Amino acid sequence: MTTRVETLTAALPAVLGEKLASVTVTRGEITAVIGAADLAATLRMLRDRPELRFEMLIDLCGVDYSTYGDVAHEGPRFAVVYHLLSLANNWRVRVRAFVPDDAFPVIGSAIDIWPAANWFEREAFDLYGIVFSGHPDLRRLLTDYGFIGYPFRKDFPLSGHVEVRYDPEQGRVIYQPVSIEPREITPRVIREDSYASGK
């Protein structure tokens, strides 16, 4: 008897064909990698084909693979990850599409396929700088309008570039360069002489 994971893993290559770069199963979760060039057509097939029927977009997020784990990542730096749910078939899939250009990451919008992608794409643009072509209102969502940079990129400093404070003399909030000096925090462990001796 085949499980849902096995059924879906077999159905994805059969339906998507050459549009599917790879399918992996880890901890019972299916990840399908698709090309950015065929993104809209592939996502539409995932939604409309009766064998798959992923009617719902649960989440969309950006990923920066400039460093991944302890080793440098080979290939494109940015990816967009879609988490899809099929209510009809009661299964889920993670779809990853790598953005071809690292210097100016642009990928197609999924709003025409799932309108719920609107704010998710705005969030990925705001935090990673991934531009979604065809998005009707692509602007910052979580950071301030004057914010410079993309805070979830791995090369963005943890302390940021500017800090915000209220200036009583000017009677308003002002921006100024960060005054925090980066430092290495090493925890100090103090143990009693009888620690772990059973006494």
Side-chain angles (χ1 to χ4, degrees):
M1 178 171 215
T2 58
T3 65
R4 282 196 176 98
V5 171
E6 293 168 341
T7 304
L8 180 55
T9 305
L12 285 168
V15 173
L16 300 180
E18 65 204 24
K19 294 182 184 344
L20 185 67
S22 67
V23 177
T24 57
V25 179
T26 306
R27 297 185 185 98
E29 297 179 357
I30 302 170
T31 302
V33 178
I34 61 174
D38 299 323
L39 182 68
T42 308
L43 292 178
R44 207 172 294 280
M45 288 172 71
L46 286 166
R47 184 194 68 182
D48 295 341
R49 289 293 295 267
E51 305 96 313
L52 302 175
R53 292 185 62 185
F54 288 102
E55 308 99 347
M56 185 179 293
L57 171 70
I58 298 174
D59 189 23
L60 178 155
C61 61
V63 181
D64 180 358
Y65 284 104
S66 59
T67 57
Y68 188 68
D70 295 333
V71 296
H73 175 71
E74 303 261 341
R77 175 179 178 179
F78 298 104
V80 177
V81 177
Y82 306 83
H83 292 97
L84 308 177
L85 170 66
S86 171
L87 297 170
N89 296 319
N90 190 23
W91 54 35
R92 299 168 187 262
V93 70
R94 177 184 303 111
V95 178
R96 182 181 299 123
F98 286 95
V99 182
D101 187 5
D102 292 347
F104 186 61
V106 179
I107 198 164
S109 175
I111 288 183
D112 292 341
I113 301 162
W114 296 286
N118 185 356
W119 281 39
F120 293 135
E121 290 180 354
R122 284 182 62 190
E123 180 182 41
F125 164 71
D126 190 8
L127 301 177
Y128 291 95
I130 299 171
V131 176
F132 292 88
S133 62
H135 191 289
D137 187 22
L138 195 61
R139 57 191 161 111
R140 291 200 181 266
L141 179 66
L142 299 172
T143 59
D144 192 21
Y145 293 114
F147 192 85
I148 297 170
Y150 304 102
F152 277 16
R153 287 189 178 185
K154 293 186 179 174
D155 55 3
F156 191 82
L158 290 177
S159 59
H161 297 293
V162 296
E163 61 187 16
V164 180
R165 72 172 180 85
Y166 179 76
D167 187 355
E169 292 177 6
Q170 297 182 27
R172 64 183 181 91
V173 173
I174 62 167
Y175 294 88
Q176 64 188 33
V178 174
S179 61
I180 301 170
E181 293 182 23
R183 60 187 174 141
E184 197 67 33
I185 300 175
T186 306
R188 186 173 168 211
V189 179
I190 301 172
R191 295 195 172 118
E192 298 172 356
D193 293 335
S194 61
Y195 180 78
S197 65
K199 295 181 182 178

